[in-house]
Amino acid sequence: MGEAETPSFEMTWSSTTSSGYCSQEDSDSELEQYFTARTSLARRPRRDQDEPVEWETPDLSQAEIEQKIKDYNGQINSNLFMSLNKDGSYTGFIKVQLKLVRPVSVPSSKKPPSLQDARKGLGRGTAVRRRTSFYLPKDAVKHLHVLSRTRASEVIEALLRKFLVVDDPRKFALFERAERHGQVYFRKLSDDEQPLRLRLLAGPSEKALSFILKENDSGEVNWNAFSMPELHNFLRILQREEEEHLRQILQKYSRCRQKIQEALHACPLG
């Protein structure tokens, strides 16, 4: 049980959906589409608004934790048991469903530089900077073996490491989903919350509680989470949008001014 001091992450793959790749060299137009789509969606009212819900997370005594673990293990129909450690912590499994609608970034395959690249002075540094856009399988499911003190932020980081995702973890968030009285409720977990503890309190029922990894789409854009190429691309998009808006405004006032002048010429003198 001494190994419990180091959080462990064991994941199982349970999706057969294929994934798509595209080169970062051809991604400027795609980044523009994703940015435009995101801003458009941000302005669009949601029909299915996620309703916030607060879970009760009481502090449990050691005896209560032991009893809850026994009750939990007696209700599951698999070998994904929870185990109590000598130090009072416990380990177990949580299932996370991935619901990502945008691609993630992974490193391109690091092939050794060719002779032509070497002559041009292109070495390993150039290859490392290349990235590939990758669509994770839709509705993929991961089982993670975690400690009771493993935080939500660590779960996100572990999921990203599994797929070699190089995007900033702050672009993603872990959500709770629960069904109550025919209604579905969502809540975004804070970085310091402990998913396994929430799993134990809710029991093994997926309707009572399940975990979902989604994009961290809050009202404000966290620009610090984007890379320099992405930020430069966004600036170009904003400049083009600004120029287009200015052109439309100038045309509008020019037409209005022309109509006023035509009306003045049409008025009889005196």
Side-chain angles (χ1 to χ4, degrees):
M1 292 297 180
E3 298 178 353
E5 293 300 322
T6 303
S8 61
F9 297 94
E10 300 173 6
M11 308 185 189
T12 56
W13 177 254
S14 57
S15 175
T16 57
T17 309
S18 61
S19 304
Y21 294 83
C22 62
S23 171
Q24 179 68 17
E25 295 173 353
D26 299 326
S27 65
D28 278 354
S29 60
E30 292 173 355
L31 283 172
E32 180 173 346
Q33 292 171 6
Y34 302 147
F35 182 77
T36 305
R38 187 198 185 287
T39 54
S40 299
L41 288 172
R43 292 190 294 265
R44 186 181 306 165
R46 297 180 59 181
R47 288 179 295 177
D48 300 322
Q49 181 67 37
D50 297 343
E51 298 187 32
V53 61
E54 295 296 331
W55 308 117
E56 295 181 3
T57 54
D59 292 328
L60 302 177
S61 66
Q62 194 62 25
E64 290 173 324
I65 290 175
E66 292 181 20
Q67 186 59 48
K68 276 195 167 292
I69 290 176
K70 288 181 181 179
D71 295 340
Y72 182 95
N73 291 339
Q75 296 177 52
I76 61 176
N77 297 319
S78 65
N79 60 348
L80 304 180
F81 298 107
M82 289 195 188
S83 302
L84 187 65
N85 300 321
K86 291 182 179 179
D87 62 357
S89 65
Y90 49 96
T91 59
F93 294 86
I94 60 171
K95 185 171 77 171
V96 182
Q97 185 178 19
L98 280 68
K99 282 187 173 291
L100 302 177
V101 297
R102 294 193 291 274
V104 296
S105 299
V106 298
S108 297
S109 56
K110 299 178 181 178
K111 297 182 293 184
S114 64
L115 180 60
Q116 184 179 4
D117 291 337
R119 288 173 179 170
K120 293 180 179 179
L122 302 176
R124 182 183 299 178
T126 303
V128 170
R129 285 195 296 267
R130 294 190 60 200
R131 299 162 72 180
T132 300
S133 296
F134 173 80
Y135 280 93
L136 287 177
K138 187 178 181 181
D139 293 334
V141 173
K142 293 285 179 297
H143 287 89
L144 284 76
H145 187 236
V146 298
L147 281 164
S148 55
R149 55 176 171 266
T150 300
R151 297 176 296 138
S153 59
E154 295 175 306
V155 170
I156 295 172
E157 291 169 2
L159 288 168
L160 299 183
R161 282 198 302 270
K162 171 66 177 177
F163 293 103
L164 303 178
V165 174
V166 296
D167 291 314
D168 194 309
R170 291 175 296 178
K171 289 185 179 181
F172 307 91
L174 195 63
F175 286 79
E176 294 177 331
R177 179 187 184 277
E179 296 182 23
R180 294 184 179 179
H181 310 295
Q183 298 291 326
V184 177
Y185 300 91
F186 288 88
R187 184 178 74 91
K188 185 169 75 171
L189 288 139
S190 66
D191 289 343
D192 294 329
E193 290 191 74
Q194 300 162 332
L196 187 62
R197 182 170 179 270
L198 297 173
R199 177 79 280 164
L200 179 64
L201 291 172
S205 171
E206 290 294 319
K207 288 188 176 181
L209 178 67
S210 60
F211 296 108
I212 299 174
L213 182 72
K214 299 168 67 176
E215 281 89 358
N216 190 13
D217 285 337
S218 59
E220 295 293 328
V221 178
N222 181 16
W223 297 112
N224 292 326
F226 291 93
S227 65
M228 286 188 64
E230 290 173 324
L231 292 172
H232 283 301
N233 190 60
F234 292 158
L235 286 175
R236 291 196 299 269
I237 295 169
L238 288 174
Q239 183 177 356
R240 288 200 296 267
E241 289 185 354
E242 181 183 8
E243 292 172 352
E244 176 62 22
H245 283 307
L246 286 174
R247 187 186 63 82
Q248 293 177 0
I249 291 172
L250 290 174
Q251 283 185 348
K252 174 184 176 182
Y253 283 95
S254 177
R255 288 194 299 268
C256 185
R257 186 180 299 108
Q258 182 180 358
K259 290 185 178 297
I260 293 173
Q261 290 175 347
E262 291 175 354
L264 285 173
H265 290 307
C267 286
L269 296 176

